[in-house]
Amino acid sequence: MALLADLFQQKKNILSIYFTAGIPNLNDTTSILNSLEKSGVNLIELGMPYSDPLADGPVIQKSSDVALKNGMSIEILFKQLKQFREENNSYSIPIILMGYLNPVLQFGVEKFCMTAKSLGIDAVIIPDLTPEVFEKEFQETFRKAGIVNIFLITPQTTEARIRKIDSLSKLFIYVVSSAGVTGTQANDDFKEKYFARLQSMKLKNPLLIGFGISTRKDFSLACKYAQGAIIGSAYIRQLEGAKGIEEITPQFINSILHESK
Amino acid sequence: MWQVNNDGYYGEFGGAYIPEMLFQNIENLRGNYLQIISSDSFQKEFQLLLRDYVGRPTPLFKADRLSDQLGTNIYLKREDLCHTGAHKINNAIGQILLAQALGKKRIIAETGAGQHGVATATVCALKGLECIVYMGAEDMQRQAPNVARMRLLGAKVIPVLSGSKTLKDATNEAIRDWISNPDDTYYLIGSVVGPHPYPDMVARFQSVISHEIKSQLLAATGNENPDYVIACVGGGSNAAGAFFHFLENKKINLIAVEASGQGIHSGKSAATTQLGSIGILHGSKSLVMQTKDGQVTEPYSISAGLDYPGIGPMHAHLYTSGRATFLSATDQEALSAAYELARLEGIIPALESAHALAALSQISFRPQDVVVVNLSGRGDKDMAAYENLYEPELQ
């Protein structure tokens, strides 16, 4: 897992962007990936759409609907990723796959892990896969393929459980910034206290903060306490607009990374 | 062997496949529910409310004219006579007492036909708790009387516009509410679905149905065990309650009836055991109607309460193990069965329960058989459908 591990060793203020594969059009995946890489994004979380995304707010729900209507599936996504890796002849930007358990189960967990690995993917995020179920049913398959499962913690996760998740985790822990689905905004005071509490726990894994990160201000606050942050809904909202991907992506990423002039 | 095991599974089905945002609440429930619901103070209040508020025990009625027509002995378990018109209130009372014991102030629920929503709104009014019910916009239209009832009872009914705008989507939305309000909110699931411990909890609260059937049959026939117990299955809560105390006795035929809508292979059906495969839906592993890519498909039934693309994990286990027989009834068969019961016995059943009645003509009974049909709800809420689809030739 050189790519991802290197990133966490070398880089502070990691900007990770989530988007759902298959939007705005089925075959836009590679151009979005290219535009994100060129714009200075450090890590991409590629969403595998699902019909019943329980942990997602309206923006990502809608994007999943659109992607599924466009015909996206794990099989097609893997084909697109293969094309992306071949065209670029480089594996320079780390990609994490994110999606719900059921489509992965139907695809076949072992085949999923092996195929992902062959495409230079080191890690996946499956929100409805608990550490308990992972340990019991999937750990061995993931380990053999060399795929890391990223776990989430939330403001409700107890300290003992955070420690347990920390010991199970590799690469990083995904910190859900507030009680809510994706796209939910919590107040900064609440978030800051929570982030500070996590920072003071001195966990062995680095933290990336997600959910409700939409502006440069949110991103900077997260980076004060964690190694970086993840933006999803805010970027997807941009993709829904009329402008082209080549124009949208650098504009949006610039607005996060640099002070507006 | 038919009850949930320590890990929350029925055979290979069940478990808790939940995002971390729900973990603390589910864990809190799992760790406390058995102790709370078996405590004397809980049982005392629960039993008292079932008796004086719900009106239990509900009668077990020998349907003579229907029995004559079918050449056997049909008994109807009259859950339709429960306060609010269906079995759903048994579970609503149990879970609201549990929510109070856990210190929760705000109750959320999903509803399909609206019976669970009405039951929840009713018990929330009784206990002075805030009540929010998520209901698919499509269901709000076809079960309008229940929407009006919930509002009258002080509940806030939130229309769900995502997906097929029915029960599955209402459940998604209720779960999202719980993720967003983890501290003060209790999620009151209406069926034997969802992550462990919900299926077990709901089955226990509904088990009063089979408990009563036993003593009532003993009094009526001298034998507490029937030959058949028949119930409709959407998620499966009334069937779970009607089967509960008969599961271990393999001589008793347990018949679950799913809604096949316009026909099992019409593309408009909700017969999950016939069309589904192993998958994960709403936090548990069960049989799920889905595409080969694992996307949950949209079910269809005329009955909003059976219009669900999954089935409780307990029922998935009963199906794959062969302990229960799964039949199905189409919209049309259910309607005919409802008209027939109205004419023969003077009882208008809910469209859901009409599916259980429709299965009667699919089974060859012996004259001496004792057959219990769980009449899970009454048909007031379905009058619009019954009137619109009334067939003159039945007159």
Side-chain angles (χ1 to χ4, degrees), chain A residues 51-53 56 102 106 161, chain B residues 20 172 176 280 290 295-296:
Chain A
S51 54
D52 295 79
D56 286 304
N102 196 50
Q106 306 309 324
R161 186 168 171 81
Chain B
E20 183 62 25
N172 289 341
R176 290 186 187 116
I280 302 213
Q290 55 185 323
Q295 308 298 341
V296 180

Side-chain angles (χ1 to χ4, degrees), chain B residues 50-203:
Chain B
L50 287 184
R51 191 190 72 189
D52 297 344
Y53 192 66
V54 178
R56 303 204 72 92
T58 58
L60 184 71
F61 174 69
K62 174 86 187 290
D64 282 329
R65 297 185 67 203
L66 186 62
S67 297
D68 281 352
Q69 182 163 311
L70 292 163
T72 192
N73 305 285
I74 309 285
Y75 289 83
L76 302 176
K77 180 58 174 164
R78 299 290 311 274
E79 292 299 298
D80 60 315
L81 294 178
C82 287
H83 177 41
T84 70
H87 71 290
K88 291 289 186 190
I89 196 161
N90 303 327
N91 169 55
I93 289 181
Q95 285 201 53
I96 280 179
L97 295 181
L98 180 68
Q100 285 193 307
L102 293 169
K104 303 287 186 173
K105 308 268 181 258
R106 180 175 173 270
I107 306 293
I108 57 173
E110 84 295 336
T111 197
Q115 288 303 119
H116 172 58
V118 168
T120 303
T122 298
V123 187
C124 283
L126 179 71
K127 291 291 180 182
L129 294 168
E130 184 184 358
C131 180
I132 290 109
V133 179
Y134 289 91
M135 189 169 188
E138 164 81 21
D139 288 342
M140 285 179 73
Q141 235 172 26
R142 54 180 169 171
Q143 309 276 230
N146 274 343
V147 176
R149 289 165 81 197
M150 286 184 269
R151 286 181 174 150
L152 190 66
L153 291 159
K156 188 172 169 194
V157 183
I158 301 182
V160 175
L161 296 163
S162 57
S164 55
K165 305 181 182 66
T166 61
L167 181 54
K168 168 181 87 102
D169 312 286
T171 307
N172 289 341
E173 220 44 59
I175 292 174
R176 290 186 187 116
D177 180 313
W178 207 21
I179 286 175
S180 306
N181 300 284
D183 294 328
D184 63 340
T185 298
Y186 180 87
Y187 178 26
L188 206 169
I189 298 186
S191 192
V192 286
V193 301
H196 177 65
Y198 277 102
D200 182 50
M201 199 160 66
V202 177

Side-chain angles (χ1 to χ4, degrees), chain B residues 3 25 40 45 53 66 76-77 80 119 191 218 224 231-232 246 253 257 261 314:
Chain B
Q3 298 297 342
N25 268 320
D40 289 345
E45 188 171 9
Y53 192 66
L66 186 62
L76 302 176
K77 180 58 174 164
D80 60 315
S191 192
L218 182 66
E224 64 175 16
C232 64
F246 299 118
N253 296 295
V257 188
M314 167 187 169

Side-chain angles (χ1 to χ4, degrees), chain B residues 308-323:
Chain B
Y308 185 68
I311 187 171
M314 167 187 169
H315 293 298
H317 182 48
L318 293 176
Y319 172 72
T320 54
S321 65
R323 174 65 191 93

